[in-house]
């Protein structure tokens, strides 16, 4: 009878790792709900896709600016305390925007409130995702599987976060829905564990932040496998992820009016596709052909986006966005594993910050470009143009790569 009990104990997650995963899951769900919620509110109340894309771009650009700073701090101060404090700031930003919605100001005032709240949110959220990945090494000695699980949790959050917000919006209204977001983000901060053996704040020189950031950048660019790994996901994040998150809600509202739950389901399809792509692609994480697999997956994502904007039926959009998500999931799962294996321990948080910079700053640029184009034409045309641009860029990457280069550069 002792062996089955011992076997069951070995299968249980240690309490710090379980709390870490629960905190990460709540954080990603709350993050996805906030981003989706603020975009759809501004889309429906303000001037459509342009204002929504500006709000999205502000949040993600500020996240991008804060990412290298927090990446450096994650290497020199207690990282759990840093993530927890950032979580409190994210919850505060959601609370502030909820209060702005409650006051029901004019659309222009609400747009300004959204800008300020998104900037505060971006300031708080910058670097959190990268520091979470870096914190894995403090919670467990086996980093590969937890890193993949963490990546899949992020996808899970972005899969169901928009739908949860859409349901809460329909049932309770935007104020209550945004208050729920604030509560989830607060729960994420409070449930984060404090690992044993963390370095103390006195162990690092915080006055040398700029030098530390530059050292992290130099470490990446001096390591060919690191910077080439980071480049793998540029096409899907620039041409697909940012435009879809910021402008797709406007296209859906125009093509399918009064279909709030359907609009959330489209993003569920995107997330489920990303989850499927990520899970399947982990089997090829160490393949010599993984660079080409990532490029081809990017082409798949772009082609599916173009098709989804061309055939506007509810079933067609859901299926094609699901396929688009599959293309997004491949780099999302593979690239963090490459970085986790290759990075110097003293530069781990800074390198993971570079990964999240790709997932924040690059989508913000794509969102801004798509929003500007949508304001000059319409959301559907803008998404189609960005998808075609991604196809052209991906084909160039495929054309100028060689198997020998991909194998030697990354493996």
């Amino acid at each position: 009878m002792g062996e089955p009990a011992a076997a069951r104990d070995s299968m249980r997650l240690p309490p710090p790792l379980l709390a870490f995963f629960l905190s990460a899951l709540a954080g990603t769900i709350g993050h996805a709900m906030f981003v989706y919620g603020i975009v759809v509110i501004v889309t429906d109340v303000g001037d459509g896709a342009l204002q929504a894309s500006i709000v999205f771009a502000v949040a993600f650009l500020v996240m991008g600016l804060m990412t290298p700073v927090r990446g450096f701090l994650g290497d020199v101060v207690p990282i759990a305390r840093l993530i927890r404090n950032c979580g409190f700031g994210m919850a505060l930003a959601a609370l502030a925007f909820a209060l702005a919605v409650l006051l029901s100001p004019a659309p222009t005032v609400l747009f300004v409130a959204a800008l300020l709240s998104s900037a505060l949110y971006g300031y708080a959220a910058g670097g959190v995702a990268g520091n979470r990945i870096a914190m894995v090494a403090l919670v467990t000695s086996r980093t590969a599987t937890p890193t993949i699980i963490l990546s899949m949790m992020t996808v899970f959050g972005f899969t169901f976060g928009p739908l949860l917000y859409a349901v809460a919006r329909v049932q309770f209204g935007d104020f209550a829905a945004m208050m729920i977001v604030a509560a989830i983000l607060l729960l994420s901060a409070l449930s984060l564990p404090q690992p044993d053996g963390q370095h103390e704040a006195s162990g690092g020189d915080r006055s040398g932040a700029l030098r530390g950031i530059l050292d992290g950048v130099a470490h990446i660019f001096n390591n060919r496998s690191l910077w080439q790994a980071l480049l793998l996901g540029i096409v899907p994040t620039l041409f697909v992820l940012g435009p879809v998150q910021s402008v797709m809600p406007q296209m859906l509202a125009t093509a399918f009016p009064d279909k709030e739950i359907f609009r959330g389901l489209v993003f569920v399809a995107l997330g489920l596709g990303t989850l499927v792509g990520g899970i399947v692609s982990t089997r090829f994480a160490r393949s010599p052909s993984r660079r080409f697999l990532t490029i081809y997956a990017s082409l798949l994502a772009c082609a599916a986006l173009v098709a989804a904007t061309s055939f506007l039926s509810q079933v067609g959009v859901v299926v094609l966005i699901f396929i688009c998500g599959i293309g997004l999931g491949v780099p999302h799962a593979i690239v963090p594993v490459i970085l986790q294996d290759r990075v110097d321990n003293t530069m781990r948080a800074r390198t993971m910050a570079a990964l999240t910079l790709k997932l924040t700053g690059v989508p913000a640029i794509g969102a801004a470009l798509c929003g500007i184009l949508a304001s000059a034409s319409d959301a559907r045309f803008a998404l189609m143009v960005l998808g075609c641009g991604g196809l052209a860029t991906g084909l160039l990457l495929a054309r100028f790569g060689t198997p020998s280069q991909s194998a030697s550069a990354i493996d």
Side-chain angles (χ1 to χ4, degrees), residues 84-122:
R84 186 178 296 111
N85 290 340
C86 289
F88 291 144
M90 294 160 69
L92 178 62
L95 175 62
F97 189 63
L99 294 175
V101 171
L102 178 65
L103 295 175
S104 300
T108 301
V109 179
L110 186 61
F111 173 60
V112 174
L115 284 176
L116 295 176
S117 299
S118 64
L120 173 60
Y121 186 87

Side-chain angles (χ1 to χ4, degrees), residues 344-363:
D344 187 320
N345 275 334
T346 62
M347 298 286 182
R348 187 176 298 275
R350 275 166 276 193
T351 304
M352 297 311 165
L355 172 65
T356 57
L357 182 61
K358 185 198 73 173
L359 295 173
T360 54
V362 175

Side-chain angles (χ1 to χ4, degrees), residues 15 21-22 62 99 111-112 123 209 214 229 231 266 271 286 288 303 327 355:
F21 282 150
L22 291 175
V62 175
L99 294 175
F111 173 60
V112 174
Y123 174 81
L214 293 177
L231 286 177
V266 170
R286 303 189 185 282
L355 172 65

